[in-house]
Amino acid sequence: MSQKIAGPKGMNDILPGEVEVWQHVERTARELFSRFGYGEVRTPTVEDTALFVRSVGEETDIVGKEMYTFEDKGGRSLSLRPEGTAPAARAYIEHSVVNQEPLTRWFYMGPMFRYERMKTGRYRQFHQIGAEAYGSKEPAQDVEIMDLVVQLLQTLGLKDVSLNINSLGDETCRPAYQEKLVGHLRAHVDELCADCKVRLERNPLRVLDCKVERCQQIALAAPSILESLCEPCREHFASVQRKMGALGIKFEINHRIMRGLDYYTRTTFEFIAAHPVLGTASTVGGGGRYDKLVKSLGGPDVPAVGVGLGLDRLCLLLRESGQRFGQPAQLFIAVADEGSADEALALASRLRREGLRVELDTRGGSLKSQMKRADKVGATYTLVLGELERTSGQAQLKPMAGGEPVPVKLAELAQTLHAAKPAA
């Protein structure tokens, strides 16, 4: 007997019964994002490794430890994308989009890849929904991006998700803060994990993003970056807060939010869920402003702000919400005798062309087994088709939830089903 082949660890199959939740989130996001004027962009799953080294940061864990990087047959170093912002920025530059529209709003959906320690809500192939806005340096654009997520969560019916915001300053004021931070960290250098001792020398801000508990405790006592903001950054952050208030969006200021990527400047934020199903992977989305990323990748000097949402985590929360997803069959056709099989297949085909969801067990079998199948698929109605029904052109439409069968003409079946009250 041949050995079974399993899927790669941390890269999950999404099967019917579960995929309907995903489809619901994706449909909801597409509809909502279009209301905000965001168009969908689709970038390759694989990019030049240099894109992520230059954007995400060579000293980040993502580039240093987590990327799936390989050499192709042409000797080029390629990587499976670990996040969506850098590929979108690359596409924005490559296609000279700034010359076509000064304000550009994009969204994307798709798989990302990081070789991480797996736990609930954190996988090696994970899925993101993201939005990026290029061309506006105004605080209003930061707020619009956050409002986009707030409205998506509300539309999905997800509650108990808090919004934390911070400002990371910019190249003017961040160096002064970094000096204060380094002084604090050096006083506790012996307590830092091995990775953070390296980060202290190469990129001290990354220490604040460490997940090791003792490093988190040191980070808690670190000076706040908000005390070191220059006046333009302070005004920008104050304007963000004021506009959030005007929209009625609740938020908390959290000076410890740094995010795990090097390209962020000024506004940064995270959406954090309180539900225990996520365990320690409680951040369902996050992002911020990255005004220098496009230029650093060889593009024009265009400001930008964006957000990424964990689709896997959103779906975990939705499955716990008790909501129902997917659309059951409106009709199950049960075949009473072998001579009616072709007629049943033709009837199902005709009804499907009429836009109806119709199930038919092509294996046939006893009526009892077919009715069990109708119940399993959650059909709203069943119709038994046999010689009597074929010759008379009449049948009985049986509600699976209970109630009296409804006489129906086979020629008028589509109109009857379209007019029928949907299942509760």
Side-chain angles (χ1 to χ4, degrees):
M1 184 177 176
S2 299
Q3 186 177 359
K4 290 182 179 179
I5 299 176
K9 260 189 174 181
M11 300 185 183
N12 303 320
D13 300 311
I14 306 167
L15 306 180
E18 181 183 357
V19 76
E20 291 81 4
V21 184
W22 291 66
Q23 292 167 339
H24 173 71
V25 177
E26 291 163 355
R27 277 194 304 270
T28 304
R30 282 192 169 94
E31 196 282 326
L32 179 66
F33 288 11
S34 69
R35 281 191 238 158
F36 277 72
Y38 287 69
E40 184 171 4
V41 61
R42 300 187 184 188
T43 62
T45 306
V46 175
E47 295 273 3
D48 190 314
T49 301
L51 173 66
F52 303 112
V53 173
R54 289 170 60 183
S55 61
V56 174
E58 191 168 6
E59 305 303 330
T60 61
D61 285 351
I62 293 173
V63 171
K65 298 179 180 180
E66 297 170 0
M67 281 206 309
Y68 284 87
T69 299
F70 61 95
E71 189 175 285
D72 74 358
K73 292 183 179 180
R76 293 171 287 263
S77 179
L78 301 177
S79 294
L80 295 176
R81 61 187 181 196
E83 56 94 39
T85 295
R90 190 267 311 150
Y92 177 83
I93 296 165
E94 186 170 340
H95 299 282
S96 303
V97 178
V98 68
N99 297 327
Q100 304 164 37
E101 48 185 13
L103 179 59
T104 303
R105 294 182 174 100
W106 283 352
F107 76 90
Y108 58 83
M109 300 181 188
M112 312 291 163
F113 302 85
R114 296 182 193 174
Y115 192 84
E116 293 195 280
R117 291 181 181 176
M118 294 177 296
K119 60 178 72 175
T120 301
R122 181 171 291 145
Y123 310 111
R124 290 175 180 172
Q125 176 178 305
F126 58 100
H127 300 76
Q128 277 192 351
I129 298 175
E132 317 288 346
Y134 306 95
S136 173
K137 68 180 187 305
E138 303 303 321
Q141 189 60 63
D142 306 21
V143 174
E144 181 189 83
I145 283 278
M146 288 184 273
D147 185 32
L148 182 70
V149 179
V150 168
Q151 291 198 34
L152 177 62
L153 295 174
Q154 289 173 344
T155 305
L156 292 172
L158 293 176
K159 302 175 182 178
D160 298 323
V161 181
S162 60
L163 169 58
N164 284 202
I165 68 172
N166 190 23
S167 175
L168 299 183
D170 59 16
E171 66 276 8
T172 300
C173 53
R174 197 183 297 176
Y177 171 69
Q178 191 157 303
E179 280 188 31
K180 294 180 183 178
L181 178 62
V182 168
H184 170 76
L185 296 176
R186 289 202 186 284
H188 300 274
V189 65
D190 293 337
E191 304 167 57
L192 296 174
C193 71
D195 286 338
C196 280
K197 288 177 181 176
V198 175
R199 291 169 184 146
L200 175 58
E201 302 303 323
R202 296 181 178 178
N203 192 340
L205 290 175
R206 292 281 67 78
V207 177
L208 301 179
D209 198 50
C210 183
K211 301 300 185 286
V212 176
E213 187 174 351
R214 66 176 184 272
C215 295
Q216 289 181 337
Q217 293 302 314
I218 295 168
L220 282 173
S224 169
I225 192 169
L226 297 177
E227 297 170 357
S228 299
L229 295 181
C230 60
E231 193 56 33
C233 286
R234 196 183 305 277
E235 289 178 3
H236 185 100
F237 194 47
S239 182
V240 166
Q241 295 173 64
R242 187 173 62 253
K243 294 177 189 300
M244 295 277 276
L247 269 61
I249 297 176
K250 295 180 180 178
F251 62 89
E252 299 174 23
I253 296 175
N254 182 348
H255 70 87
R256 296 188 300 277
I257 290 180
M258 290 289 156
R259 305 294 296 152
L261 310 173
D262 279 356
Y263 49 63
Y264 287 115
T265 55
R266 290 192 173 177
T267 307
T268 187
F269 56 86
E270 290 185 353
F271 287 85
I272 302 169
H275 201 291
V277 70
L278 295 180
T280 58
S282 58
T283 301
V284 297
R289 180 162 284 284
Y290 49 96
D291 288 342
K292 300 303 177 184
L293 176 61
V294 174
K295 185 177 180 180
S296 74
L297 293 175
D301 191 4
V302 173
V305 59
V307 64
L309 295 160
L311 183 51
D312 309 75
R313 298 180 189 183
L314 291 177
C315 290
L316 277 172
L317 291 174
L318 273 180
R319 285 204 299 274
E320 294 292 316
S321 70
Q323 300 180 56
R324 294 176 60 184
F325 302 97
Q327 295 178 312
Q330 292 162 283
L331 178 68
F332 184 96
I333 300 174
V335 183
D337 53 68
E338 190 175 338
S340 300
D342 288 351
E343 183 78 17
L345 185 62
L347 177 60
S349 178
R350 175 166 62 83
L351 294 173
R352 289 163 180 161
R353 290 176 189 274
E354 296 280 349
L356 293 158
R357 300 182 301 279
V358 180
E359 280 265 5
L360 172 73
D361 193 333
T362 55
R363 301 169 302 172
S366 68
L367 278 177
K368 182 178 180 181
S369 67
Q370 291 182 71
M371 296 304 285
K372 283 184 178 178
R373 175 70 182 174
D375 187 58
K376 183 176 181 180
V377 300
T380 306
Y381 297 97
T382 58
L383 181 145
V384 176
L385 187 67
E387 184 178 359
L388 176 62
E389 288 77 19
R390 287 189 292 115
T391 55
S392 68
Q394 304 264 354
Q396 297 286 319
L397 202 55
K398 180 185 176 183
M400 290 297 287
E404 292 298 316
V406 179
V408 62
K409 293 180 180 180
L410 293 178
E412 299 174 359
L413 184 53
Q415 297 95 303
T416 302
L417 287 168
H418 278 303
K421 184 180 178 181

